[in-house]
Amino acid sequence: MPDLISRFSSRNHRLSHVFLKDRLKGAETYDRIAGYFRSSIFDLIHEEISTIGRVRIVCNADLDPRDLTAATLSQKARDQAQVERWHEQGDEVDALLERPRWRRLHELLTAGNVEIRVVSRDNAPFLHGKAGVITRPDGTTSSFIGSINETANGWVQSYEMIWEDQSPEAATWVRSEFDWLWKKGVPLSQAVIDEIGRTANKIEVQVEEMQSDPVGLAKSVTVESPLVRRGEGLAPWQKAFVKIFVEHDQKYGAARLLLADEVGVGKTLSMAATGALSVLMGHGAFLILCPATLTLQWQMELWDKLGLPSCVWARAPQKGWLDHRGHLYRSRDPDDVLRCPAQIGIVSTGLLVRGGPEAQALLRGTYGMIALDEGHKARVKRGIGMDEPEPGKLYQAMERLAGRTRHLVIGTATPIQTHREEIWDLMKLLAYGQDHVLGRPSASRWWDSEQALDLVSGRTAPPEPEAAWPWLRSPLPHAREAAVFRAIREDLKVREDEFFTDRGLADLDDFTREDLAEVLEMGEIARKLPFMRYHNPLGRHVVLRRRKTLEEAGLMDRIAVNIHPRPSTSPAVFERGAVRTPHFYDRAYEEVQLFTKAMKARQAGTGFLGNLMMQRICSSIASGIATATKMLERRREGILAEEAEDPDLLEAIEELGAEAYAAAVDVEAIHLERVLEILSSAKQEDPKGRAVLHYLDQEGWLALGCIIFSQYYDTARWVGELISETHPTEPVAVYAGVGKSGVLLGGEWRSIDREDIKRGVKERKLRVVCATDAACEGLNLQTLGTLINVDLPWNPSRLEQRIGRIKRYGQQRREVDMANLVYSGTIDERVYQRLSERMQDRYDILGSLPDTIEDDWIENIERLEAELKSFTKPESPADVFSLRYGDFLEVGDGDADWELWTKVVSRRDIETLLERPWGSGR
């Protein structure tokens, strides 16, 4: 009887030949417990593996089990976790030098006979006990154990030992271990397999080679961006926006677009990707205009997600351009604002509002593309008693800049705030210098906003060609938009790059006139719309994708939000859904009311100071003390840098001016001094602190992971310190602006980079994060399942942004919990009561609320109640322009190959091109 047990050692044999190849020849199945999944896993046995009927390999993944659990995660989320881990252990040099091996591996993984599963670190922290079972056609087996990995290095170079046992008992034992791990594992992500194939076939290209294919160039510069390497990538609707941008550039010679995607859909990345593409196409510099508090946020997203360097025009502590590495290029004269050291420059809209020599210099510049974020702030004022609409300072500046750029993209989730004409004001900005948007001002009816909006909304509809012709001739739509427009252009011999004709209907061919009459009568049958409601400037130039639409299409997860406190919640902490307040707080609040009233009675422009103090004391006692102190110190210029976490304060002071600000505070200082005296001498704790601890401890939210939001750094830091003090072994992160982020442990503070905090949350080392609104964009906290709003922004759109931090791809729970904390008896409580009455849909809690709430609504609760009762989401014109671009598939469904794109522009080349200063040649 032959020996059933054999022993092998690297000292005496080449294990890959004397054991593995020999045993696998003619095998029927091969089950293997390996180590980490590596590109060389089948390098030495490629031919043998390809002939085996079934090969199953189980490998380490070093992933948290919650990143692999099919019951709680979407497939997209599981793919992200595996792709990110694959890239973390990737080797670019190996991928180049061993390209044939990578190609062979991809062939095996897609052949159909090989299946690989990965197990989490909890099930197998490290698969050190490696083993395998080889089964032959006659039913005999060869089982082996040893420390050897299923890699070329393991079989050829490492010192390894193998113990082989050909008995049926050995096969049964090894299979039982394998089967246990196999059931615990999940299939190797198809996204990882695709990435192996892409890497095996990728080639490096130069930007110039790709300029004839702009969408291809966009793929080439994003396919290996940090976002993709983290397993995320651009969302389908963001890729679609790139295609829309390119389509407009090719059709019209310029892209003029209003990006009105709902909050939380990701407008920043859409604008960033198109702006970078514009630069790389050689169109010129990319200028980003946004509120002051979003400048560093923009810079962070550009670098952290897309790997794009940029510079921010900074005012404090020193004036100049600040690059993404923190280096400051100091300014010596106002024209330095036109000498940005990088092709992407980010400037605060406050610079344009204040005016001055730097603003004037910026208005003299020429640009390839301008992106205006928070575009609704470029307002034209309308109101009772005003003879004519009055453009604001930002709007006036944008009127001038619109004519100095090729591309203009305006981003806002609220293109209509109080008047429907506001969306047309933004359309006019897009139209300056570009006749294809609204036509020639002297010869187009589209410049009359009232008539245009009546037509777009369906209130009026031209019944026959004679009535429609003045609307169609300027701008004359592109031939690709509809067959009837192609016929009109051919009849009148209008070139593709011209969008006006002074000829009349009589010059059209009889058949063309008949076609026009027919489409006007029948309308867009497939869309059940009148012809002119679909074919108009709004439909062409406004892009809107709604979250609900994306959820229904399966592109975003549908997650319910449970709102707290509930009626039965701890009566010791809450009353009527609000936080009980002690007597000393009520006294301080009365003083703030007096201060607010006094500020509103002064000259126009100072009322915001009262609102500011009111919002701060409604946030927390710590914030009330800090704000009163800062106001009394009258820090003029210093306050601009110090209050960077408060967008309202920063922008309002920029408009008011430091001197007027100081003078207003001086006169009413007595109220602030009393507030400080009352709050500082109080012995009782802030009741909101007890409310936070109630949810973390009594409701079990700490175990689920919790993000705690405030509008203000003072409040976020106070909450973090409170939790750290009461939970000394729990690390608590504070996620805020540059230089203000860190982790508290046992009350000890340690400054930590924001990227490290995000990584700690993702790896579940951090379960509690206290964050400010200004820093939250780009913060993906799908591993946290609960949210506490220590204070409530009065604008629902900001609340939506907070919810969007946890209501994301990969959220562990199908339902998340949100607690809203307001002090009893305050303006916050009254506002929240009115809002909460409308927050009934758990899947769309803000769907029945306006995106913004005006200040005068807040001051008059009866007015707020009336406005909310009468509010309905506008069906028109929003739903009209969502029809064209609302479904990204209408733009083309070829983006499936975006992550598989093999033509790659190197990160070094991208950085080199984008780190050229403005005005430099290629």
Side-chain angles (χ1 to χ4, degrees), residues 188-216:
L188 179 69
S189 168
Q190 183 62 45
V192 173
I193 297 172
D194 290 342
E195 177 60 15
I196 291 169
R198 189 198 68 82
T199 304
N201 294 291
K202 83 170 184 177
I203 57 173
E204 192 168 303
V205 295
Q206 300 298 310
V207 168
E208 290 80 6
E209 297 176 54
M210 298 300 300
Q211 286 179 336
S212 60
D213 177 12
V215 174

Side-chain angles (χ1 to χ4, degrees), residues 113 143 167 248 270 305 339 401 415 419 446 478 502 720 728 802:
N113 67 319
S143 305
S167 69
H248 276 244
S270 294
K305 293 194 172 184
R339 302 184 183 109
L401 284 170
H419 303 281
W446 292 108
H478 197 279
D502 56 2
R802 292 182 178 184

Side-chain angles (χ1 to χ4, degrees), residues 323-342:
D323 72 15
H324 66 287
R325 297 183 179 90
H327 177 73
L328 180 70
Y329 297 81
R330 295 183 184 178
S331 171
R332 290 173 174 78
D333 66 72
D335 281 356
D336 282 341
V337 77
L338 288 176
R339 302 184 183 109
C340 180

Side-chain angles (χ1 to χ4, degrees), residues 378-393:
R379 292 183 177 182
V380 175
K381 299 176 183 177
R382 294 175 175 83
I384 299 172
M386 296 181 65
D387 295 332
E388 293 289 336
E390 181 183 321
K393 293 180 181 178

Side-chain angles (χ1 to χ4, degrees), residues 235-244 257-271 274 412-413 542-551 555-556 878-879 881-891:
W237 53 93
Q238 292 166 334
K239 298 171 188 174
F241 187 74
V242 173
K243 295 178 182 178
I244 294 166
L257 296 164
L258 176 57
L259 182 56
D261 287 348
E262 285 188 330
V263 171
V265 171
K267 291 183 291 295
T268 302
L269 284 180
S270 294
M271 291 190 285
T274 51
T412 174
V542 180
V543 180
L544 166 65
R545 280 73 61 94
R546 300 184 187 280
R547 185 185 184 97
K548 187 174 182 180
T549 303
L550 298 174
E551 288 175 348
L555 299 172
M556 297 183 88
D879 283 347
F881 58 65
S882 71
L883 282 171
R884 186 182 298 258
Y885 301 127
D887 182 351
F888 80 99
L889 293 175
E890 290 188 27
V891 186

Side-chain angles (χ1 to χ4, degrees), residues 191-380:
V192 173
I193 297 172
D194 290 342
E195 177 60 15
I196 291 169
R198 189 198 68 82
T199 304
N201 294 291
K202 83 170 184 177
I203 57 173
E204 192 168 303
V205 295
Q206 300 298 310
V207 168
E208 290 80 6
E209 297 176 54
M210 298 300 300
Q211 286 179 336
S212 60
D213 177 12
V215 174
L217 176 57
K219 297 176 182 179
S220 296
V221 299
T222 59
V223 69
E224 293 189 350
S225 65
L227 189 70
V228 173
R229 296 183 73 84
R230 289 200 294 269
E232 298 176 47
L234 294 177
W237 53 93
Q238 292 166 334
K239 298 171 188 174
F241 187 74
V242 173
K243 295 178 182 178
I244 294 166
F245 179 90
V246 170
E247 178 192 10
H248 276 244
D249 183 39
Q250 293 175 339
K251 283 167 59 175
Y252 306 118
R256 296 296 179 109
L257 296 164
L258 176 57
L259 182 56
D261 287 348
E262 285 188 330
V263 171
V265 171
K267 291 183 291 295
T268 302
L269 284 180
S270 294
M271 291 190 285
T274 51
L277 176 62
S278 169
V279 173
L280 296 174
M281 287 294 294
H283 298 169
F286 176 26
L287 171 63
I288 298 167
L289 296 168
C290 62
T293 51
L294 299 184
T295 54
L296 294 178
Q297 176 183 309
W298 257 95
Q299 186 177 54
M300 182 174 67
E301 288 225 23
L302 285 166
W303 180 248
D304 292 350
K305 293 194 172 184
L306 298 178
L308 304 175
S310 63
C311 288
V312 171
W313 181 257
R315 295 187 60 221
Q318 292 178 309
K319 191 177 294 184
W321 286 105
L322 184 71
D323 72 15
H324 66 287
R325 297 183 179 90
H327 177 73
L328 180 70
Y329 297 81
R330 295 183 184 178
S331 171
R332 290 173 174 78
D333 66 72
D335 281 356
D336 282 341
V337 77
L338 288 176
R339 302 184 183 109
C340 180
Q343 285 293 292
I344 303 177
I346 306 167
V347 178
S348 162
T349 48
L351 181 83
L352 297 174
V353 171
R354 288 192 307 274
E358 288 151 358
Q360 292 304 314
L362 200 67
L363 294 173
R364 294 196 303 271
T366 55
Y367 310 95
M369 173 169 158
I370 293 177
L372 174 64
D373 197 8
E374 300 286 313
H376 54 273
K377 294 182 181 292
R379 292 183 177 182
V380 175

